[in-house]
Amino acid sequence: MSNSEKKRLIPTAPVPPAGVPGNLLSSVAPPTELPNFVTASPVSTRPNVVVPVPQPVQPAVVSGNVDVDPLQQQETFSPAIPPSKGEPTLPIRSPEDSQATQSPESLPASTPEIDKIGDVMPGSGLFTWMKGAVATGGILQRVAEKAKSSVDTMITTLDPQMKEYLKSGGDLYIVVASDKEVKISPVREAFQSIFGKATVVGHPAQSDVTAEQPVGYAAAYAAAKQRIAHVRSTNAELTNNVPVIAVESFLQETVSDRWYELSLLVLSQPSLGIELQLQSQGTPVPAAAVAALDAATPADHPHKQTGFAVTVGSIMGASLQVPHTQWQEASTGVDRKEILSLAARSMAGSYKKLLAVSSAET
């Protein structure tokens, strides 16, 4: 096919008539109306219906065997707890057991549910629980002990003499072989702090087997044993089951010209075969004071081999210009009562353990 023939086959736009501008849109016919395939629905002449807002449904009170319409028992929506959370939609008790109102006369003597709990868990009552909490050392016992301790502290602060009255008593009765308060008071406070309650009394006791101021542990022990024997012999009511404590001061030369004053505590209870020996911390004594003690002791003193005829307190008190019972405090800042208190507490703790062992063996 030649090029001329191809040109004849290509359609050409129609030539507009003369006098008409050459705009192609002007020759396009206006669009026709599209067909409507939607069927018009008939207009309803029914009046408007007002839908009531649902109100919260109150549960109806059911008494007896009254028939209830099942339509009235429809489950209602709860915005707080949705039903999908697995909450029970039915009451735990049966309708026969559930009573809306009951008069006090119609209440049973005991609730079955509580009786059943008591059968499964004996002693599940409130008072039983409180009693058990106190007996087993729970929080209630600690609160009670704290309250009692606070009250006792207030009373003893207002009147220090009430301390002995509050903590005296109990099953423990101890005798101190001395009538001096400087020896009785530390022993009383120590045993009352360890045992809680204890009655501690003192009886005068003498020792004539050693010098007035013993020197060395052996002489102090002999003097303490003599005081215990003197107390038991002069007080018939003190049986072998009553523990007796003796406190004896003595001098000890640890190295050459190094002297210390100590106190030996001996506890004896023959019925249990108990004898405890414990010495306190030492207070340094100048060598010049010991030389003065030696000079004050006659050469023919009957107990010169066991010590001196004059006590170290008299020499040190005169040197420091204080009473002979306060020379330890004036010399070191620690008085004798505090020194004896520490030793007595150690003795009380050891004695308590021995009592526990003896009770376990029996």
Side-chain angles (χ1 to χ4, degrees):
M1 181 179 295
S2 62
N3 292 334
S4 60
E5 292 177 352
K6 291 180 181 180
K7 291 180 180 180
R8 287 197 297 269
L9 293 178
I10 297 174
T12 60
V15 180
V20 180
N23 191 356
L24 294 178
L25 296 178
S26 62
S27 61
V28 179
T32 60
E33 185 180 359
L34 295 175
N36 187 8
F37 298 100
V38 179
T39 303
S41 59
V43 179
S44 176
T45 59
R46 189 173 56 182
N48 294 331
V49 179
V50 179
V51 180
V53 178
Q55 300 295 330
V57 179
Q58 300 294 335
V61 179
V62 180
S63 61
N65 296 325
V66 181
D67 297 335
V68 182
D69 188 0
L71 296 178
Q72 297 180 359
Q73 295 184 346
Q74 296 180 357
E75 181 180 352
T76 59
F77 172 73
S78 175
I81 303 176
S84 61
K85 293 300 182 180
E87 296 293 333
T89 57
L90 295 178
I92 297 177
R93 296 183 181 179
S94 60
E96 292 77 4
D97 296 335
S98 302
Q99 299 294 334
T101 58
Q102 290 183 347
S103 61
E105 293 78 5
S106 62
L107 292 175
S110 61
T111 307
E113 287 75 6
I114 297 179
D115 295 341
K116 293 179 181 179
I117 293 176
D119 295 338
V120 178
M121 300 174 60
S124 59
L126 177 61
F127 293 101
T128 305
W129 174 81
M130 292 177 63
K131 181 180 179 181
V134 173
T136 55
I139 186 172
L140 293 181
Q141 183 179 3
R142 292 195 295 270
V143 171
E145 291 177 354
K146 184 64 176 179
K148 181 179 180 301
S149 177
S150 300
V151 174
D152 293 347
T153 302
M154 180 185 65
I155 294 175
T156 54
T157 301
L158 297 176
D159 187 1
Q161 295 181 356
M162 289 294 294
K163 185 175 182 180
E164 179 183 353
Y165 174 77
L166 291 174
K167 293 191 174 182
S168 295
D171 299 332
L172 186 60
Y173 185 85
I174 295 178
V175 174
V176 179
S178 176
D179 57 350
K180 299 177 181 178
E181 190 63 24
V182 69
K183 294 183 178 180
I184 301 173
S185 180
V187 175
R188 179 187 296 114
E189 293 178 1
F191 277 81
Q192 288 178 350
S193 64
I194 297 299
F195 288 89
K197 280 184 173 295
T199 301
V200 180
V201 297
H203 292 285
Q206 300 295 329
S207 174
D208 55 0
V209 296
T210 61
E212 187 69 19
Q213 178 60 68
V215 176
Y217 190 94
Y221 177 71
K225 293 288 289 182
Q226 177 66 18
R227 293 183 187 275
I228 293 175
H230 182 270
V231 168
R232 292 193 184 277
S233 62
T234 55
N235 297 273
E237 69 277 7
L238 299 181
T239 63
N240 289 334
N241 196 38
V242 177
V244 179
I245 298 177
V247 180
E248 191 67 35
S249 170
F250 69 99
L251 291 176
Q252 182 70 39
E253 186 181 16
T254 56
V255 293
S256 178
D257 288 338
R258 294 289 181 178
W259 292 84
Y260 292 89
E261 189 265 346
L262 302 95
S263 293
L264 176 64
L265 283 73
V266 178
L267 184 148
S268 175
Q269 187 174 359
S271 63
L272 297 179
I274 294 177
E275 181 176 297
L276 294 176
Q277 305 175 25
L278 194 145
Q279 67 182 20
S280 68
Q281 72 178 38
T283 302
V285 178
V290 177
L293 290 173
D294 189 23
T297 304
D300 57 349
H301 191 272
H303 300 292
K304 186 176 176 61
Q305 69 276 7
T306 61
F308 303 113
V310 182
T311 62
V312 65
S314 61
I315 298 296
M316 291 299 297
S319 176
L320 298 172
Q321 298 182 357
V322 295
H324 69 280
T325 58
Q326 300 177 8
W327 75 267
Q328 291 93 342
E329 183 179 5
S331 177
T332 62
V334 181
D335 59 359
R336 190 185 185 193
K337 180 180 179 181
E338 186 175 355
I339 295 174
L340 293 178
S341 295
L342 294 175
R345 289 191 62 180
S346 300
M347 175 168 283
S350 302
Y351 179 66
K352 187 176 183 180
K353 290 184 178 181
L354 290 178
L355 291 181
V357 173
S358 300
S359 61
E361 292 178 354
T362 57

